[in-house]
Amino acid sequence: MSPHPQPAPEPVIQYIASCKLPTPWGEFVMHGFEEESGQEHVALTLGEVGDGLPVLARLHSECLTGDALFSLRCDCGFQLEAAMEAISKAGRGALLYLRQEGRGIGLINKIRAYKLQDGGADTVEANERLGFPADMRDFRIARHMLAHLGIGSVKVMTNNPRKLATLEAAGIAVVERVPLQVGRNPYNDRYLDTKAAKLGHMLLK
């Protein structure tokens, strides 16, 4: 057996269709993609993004509780809205909505992790007690989505250095990191501190 674990195979993702998506921040174009596994992802674009110039972009992992149910346990919903507003103000940009709930463990396991957090575990400890790594997301799928959109260089709205490293390793030029620090509140204060301390997120108190 090899002493080094083999990397996961490159994900295969196919473009399906596009449509207009009017939102409070303007009319975006929504592009649908599907992996071989059947997992679906979307990208929202505003303005001309395939002109060769760096594009303001957000890689946003699905968070049903934060994005749709207004949870204060995380900052995800706040980041989603702030990113769309920033793209709208810029008049040009892309938001990749990746279906990787709970940092990749899925919605039901995320609920189990939240139960452990209710008992005192932090967000990393909860995932590990369930037998999962702290973060299981695979940002390589963004490479194929960006390539389809004609985007070769990005200004990424993120606090997560892993996203930057993954994009660069996939051949996407990251010309700038744009901080996206919003939504801190008493319910997510420990969560954000843990992401900074254990996952390396670049956050200010």
Side-chain angles (χ1 to χ4, degrees):
M1 183 175 8
S2 170
H4 302 292
Q6 295 299 309
E10 183 76 15
V12 177
I13 188 166
Q14 180 182 7
Y15 165 73
I16 304 299
S18 299
C19 67
K20 295 179 180 179
L21 186 72
T23 78
W25 301 278
E27 186 175 271
F28 289 73
V29 178
M30 181 166 65
H31 312 266
F33 297 84
E34 186 175 12
E35 291 187 66
E36 282 186 322
S37 64
Q39 184 67 281
E40 299 164 333
H41 309 276
V42 298
L44 305 183
T45 59
L46 183 70
E48 176 54 59
V49 296
D51 57 6
L53 299 174
V55 174
L56 181 65
R58 165 74 180 162
L59 277 63
H60 189 89
S61 296
E62 179 181 36
C63 176
L64 177 71
T65 49
D67 298 340
L69 301 178
F70 317 109
S71 171
L72 298 177
R73 296 184 72 137
C74 63
D75 56 344
C76 303
F78 299 102
Q79 288 186 319
L80 178 61
E81 292 194 15
M84 294 184 71
E85 182 178 4
I87 290 170
S88 176
K89 287 181 177 178
R92 176 175 175 272
L95 185 141
L96 276 58
Y97 196 86
L98 309 176
R99 308 293 298 280
Q100 302 189 114
E101 180 75 53
R103 295 201 299 274
I105 67 174
L107 178 60
I108 298 303
N109 282 321
K110 177 180 175 179
I111 295 172
R112 293 187 177 109
Y114 274 176
K115 177 65 174 177
L116 292 173
Q117 291 174 42
D118 289 343
D122 66 34
T123 182
V124 171
E125 292 167 347
N127 277 28
E128 291 174 344
R129 287 185 194 177
L130 292 173
F132 300 111
D135 194 337
M136 292 181 60
R137 291 174 294 180
D138 187 347
F139 294 115
R140 294 176 301 169
I141 54 178
R143 171 187 181 181
H144 305 282
M145 297 169 73
L146 291 170
H148 174 82
L149 299 171
I151 298 173
S153 60
V154 289
K155 298 180 286 186
V156 183
M157 291 181 278
T158 186
N159 306 314
N160 184 355
R162 182 166 174 257
K163 288 183 182 179
L164 304 178
T166 302
L167 283 177
E168 290 170 344
I172 302 297
V174 179
V175 300
E176 183 182 351
R177 181 186 77 88
V178 180
L180 190 64
Q181 189 166 340
V182 291
R184 184 181 280 270
N185 65 76
Y187 295 98
N188 67 20
D189 199 54
R190 185 186 180 211
Y191 163 82
L192 294 175
D193 289 345
T194 299
K195 287 209 297 185
K198 293 189 175 182
L199 299 177
H201 286 223
M202 296 172 275
L203 299 170
L204 299 175
K205 281 289 282 182

